[in-house]
């Protein structure tokens, strides 16, 4: 019911859940598609009449590997995590991300520790260009991973799926498989 109130370029409030799902599949390449090493930034503007209280939870389960390669972060209120970042007064900021480690956990751990900080400290974030801030943060953390891996002699990698909410706009990014 509430999902039909979501507003975005290409999505009208009167569209059915099936129509919204079809539009989402057109962004991702459809069911079962795997587009390796491509990224996509997407935003949805939420209906301002919706009153959202953001509360989230997280769980993880280790698969067959000897250790967990994946990491995640959950910040319902970024102001609590990064109080010195540049925020507009009275606007909520939230961040959630899953970092899918490949061939180990080190790159995912770096993303967990650094990516949200790099995005929030970006000059683009300060100017309100969240897409550019995400891109800037991903590029900076990629360099950190490459430098640290080169120094320490490892070649692990990481896929990223993240969501940022600023005011009533939901931004998503996916990088990797």
């Amino acid at each position: 019911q509430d999902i039909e109130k979501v507003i975005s370029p290409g999505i009208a409030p009167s569209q059915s859940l099936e129509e919204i799902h079809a539009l989402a599949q057109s962004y991702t390449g459809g069911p079962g598609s795997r587009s390796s090493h491509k990224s996509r930034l997407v935003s949805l503007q939420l209906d301002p009449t919706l009153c959202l209280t953001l509360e989230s939870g997280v769980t993880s389960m280790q698969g067959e590997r000897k250790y967990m390669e994946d990491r995640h972060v959950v910040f319902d209120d970024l102001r609590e995590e990064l109080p010195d970042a540049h925020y507009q007064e009275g606007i909520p900021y939230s961040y959630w991300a899953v970092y899918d480690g490949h061939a180990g956990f080190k790159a995912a751990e770096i993303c967990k520790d650094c990516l949200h900080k790099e995005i929030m400290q970006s000059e683009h974030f300060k100017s309100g260009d969240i897409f550019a801030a995400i891109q800037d943060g991903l590029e900076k953390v990629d360099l950190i991973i490459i430098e640290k891996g080169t120094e320490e002699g490892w070649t692990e990698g990481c896929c990223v799926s993240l969501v940022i909410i600023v005011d009533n706009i939901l931004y998503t990014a996916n990088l990797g498989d």
Side-chain angles (χ1 to χ4, degrees):
Q1 304 134 0
D2 286 343
I3 195 159
E4 293 183 12
K5 294 182 180 179
V6 174
I7 300 173
S8 173
I11 298 178
S14 62
Q15 285 181 293
S16 70
L17 186 55
E18 290 79 21
E19 291 170 313
I20 294 171
H21 183 67
L23 181 63
Q25 286 183 347
S26 75
Y27 281 114
T28 62
S33 74
R34 287 184 62 107
S35 53
S36 184
H37 302 290
K38 293 183 179 177
S39 65
R40 175 174 295 283
L41 299 175
V42 178
S43 72
L44 293 174
Q45 183 165 355
L46 304 176
D47 184 331
T49 63
L50 293 176
C51 182
L52 299 176
T53 301
L54 299 174
E55 284 185 33
S56 58
V58 66
T59 187
S60 61
M61 188 172 85
Q62 182 174 324
E64 297 177 12
R65 300 194 187 277
K66 293 179 183 178
Y67 52 88
M68 176 61 106
E69 293 183 346
D70 305 335
R71 300 294 186 264
H72 60 267
V73 294
V74 176
F75 303 122
D76 293 331
D77 183 356
L78 267 171
R79 294 171 196 268
E80 292 176 9
E81 176 66 17
L82 297 169
D84 297 330
H86 178 80
Y87 302 105
Q88 294 180 27
E89 191 62 37
I91 293 178
Y93 293 82
S94 302
Y95 180 97
W96 302 275
V98 175
Y99 309 109
D100 178 10
H102 289 209
F105 65 88
K106 293 175 184 169
E109 188 73 24
I110 290 169
C111 287
K112 179 187 138 224
D113 293 340
C114 299
L115 184 55
H116 60 285
K117 295 173 186 172
E118 292 294 341
I119 292 170
M120 302 309 143
Q121 293 169 355
S122 167
E123 289 300 318
H124 298 291
F125 183 82
K126 294 175 184 174
S127 70
D129 187 350
I130 307 304
F131 283 131
I134 293 169
Q135 185 70 39
D136 190 43
L138 288 168
E139 290 173 3
K140 286 181 179 177
V141 171
D142 190 42
L143 289 175
I144 293 168
I145 291 169
I146 291 168
E147 288 173 10
K148 190 149 181 101
T150 301
E151 287 172 11
E152 297 178 4
W154 50 264
T155 58
E156 299 172 15
C158 179
C159 292
V160 176
S161 292
L162 65 84
V163 172
I164 298 175
I165 294 181
V166 177
D167 196 15
N168 65 338
I169 301 175
L170 181 141
Y171 299 88
T172 65
N174 181 48
L175 180 66
D177 349 281

